[in-house]
Amino acid sequence: MGTTDSSTYDAVVIGAGISGLVAAVTAAEAGLSVALVEKTGAIGGSSAMSGGFFAFSGTEEQQREGVRDSAELFLQDMLEVGGYANDESLLQAYLAHQADLYFWFKSKGVEFSTLEISSGQSVARSHLSAIRDVLRHLTKQFLEAGGTLLVNHCVTELVRGDAGRVEGVVVTTPDETRVLNGIGGIVLASGGFSRGVDLLKIFAPEQLAGIPYGGLGNTGDGLKLAWKLGAGMADMAYISGTYGSHPETGPEFHELLTAYYMGAIIVNINGERFVDESKSYKTLGSECLKQPEGLGFEVFDSVVRAKSHPGVPLNDIGMLEDIGHVHKADSLDELAMVIGINAARLQGTVERYNEAVAGKRADDFGRTGLCNGAGELLPIQTGPFYAYPAKTLMTTTYCGITIDTDARVIDVSGDVIEGLYAAGEVTGGFHGKAYMTGTSLGKGALFGRLAAKHIAATVAS
Ligand SMILES: Cc1cc2nc3c(=O)[nH]c(=O)nc-3n(C[C@H](O)[C@H](O)[C@H](O)COP(=O)(O)OP(=O)(O)OC[C@H]3O[C@@H](n4cnc5c(N)ncnc54)[C@H](O)[C@@H]3O)c2cc1C
């Protein structure tokens, strides 16, 4: 093992988000020489913009809070939220290795400050990390382990050897174009294509109406590179933005509120509900795009307002109120006036909803719980009342290259593309139709680690 010249490494990892960094650290700590190649001027990608939640089960945090979880329930939830369109072998790999990843993070000093129940979960499974610190810390460890970090290096081509094995990449910088060899393997960890307008036009044109978001480098480069070599693809039909971000959300300041998982309903500008609000926020994202102006208001009362969780992404109503994004009024009529919707319609919608909560009628959209069917529904009746206007944010694509349980890329015929690995948002098959909070950072890190371990074993053999 070791470098043979300045452009030859045991492994080349493409993209310095969570997937690439975990792959790179794992490989470097296994004694491999590793180049981590990042197209932009900084590490992080979408990972650095994320909420920082990792989905784990059987953890100390769950134990401490008395959360009863199991691998079976975790699997069931992932299959249900994914509409049973997931590749179950990848889910089984996640369940088999998530404890290893959790303890690896802990051994690196990562702390999980809060445990939350969120999208797609029937028990609290979202472990909150200080994600930017985690990424910085991993970068430091990679460099300390002797890794080479190349920022402002864009991979533009994968290089195959005579036997068809992927053995290198072409990188371009503002000054030059050159080849980096990765004799043990190349890991695609280049993220999704939430900013890849050309790919969105092909696979999900309706999502172009969402607010563009995600890492600036997330234009689908890795997907195209693998596609060119015949890689298979999965979940391309299920791309959806995430509901709900204030219409003024932009790259500088990102916000997302999930008051609906605490008891809010969502109404359109006609004052009408349009979805079972307990569903995955990806499903809500697709439904919201179909509404007039692509706008939905999260409407709730003081009981939900009291559940605000200061400092916790998705749940911090107080912070959003402080910056003027949450509207407040003493009555529903007044609230309707403030947000510019028909008062009688809003009143009627809330009354119908409250009747369903009281068991006097079936809910119009089959809502039976706060989040993924769990949690008792609450009537909206105790003023003051609140409304948060929100749209669909095109954060992530969650579909792409097919991989096996060692993160090796599988081609359209089901064969391994030797030498090529993929991890994270560039891959498909894991989530299926929708996504459970925490499983994207989780799967990125986990399959990044598996890719690195497989390369290390290959180099050693
Ligand atoms: C607002 C928001 C909140 C989220 N919250 C959560 C959450 O709490 N929990 C969760 O599990 N998921 C969450 N997600 C999703 C999750 O953050 C991403 O799916 C995940 O971070 C993707 O990680 P990655 O390493 O695969 O890609 P990224 O982190 O996007 O990293 C990919 C990197 O590859 C680089 N790159 C791209 N092309 C090239 C190229 N040609 N050459 C070199 N480098 C290249 C990019 O510049 C980028 O730095 C959230 C996403 C967003 C946007």
Side-chain angles (χ1 to χ4, degrees), residues 14-21 37-40 42-55 153-156 189-192 213-222 225 254 256 281 314 393-396 398 423-426 435-442 444:
I14 306 168
I18 190 74
S19 318
L21 277 163
V37 186
E38 168 55 46
K39 152 167 122 172
T40 68
I43 62 129
S46 282
S47 305
M49 304 164 91
S50 77
F53 289 110
F54 286 83
H153 278 58
C154 180
V155 174
T156 50
S190 50
Y213 204 67
L216 290 177
N218 290 34
T219 49
D221 299 7
L225 293 172
H254 153 253
L256 193 106
Y281 45 40
L314 317 185
L393 193 66
M394 190 55 229
T395 50
T396 43
Y398 293 152
E425 210 185 307
V426 72
Y435 143 89
M436 176 195 290
T437 302
T439 53
S440 192
L441 289 173

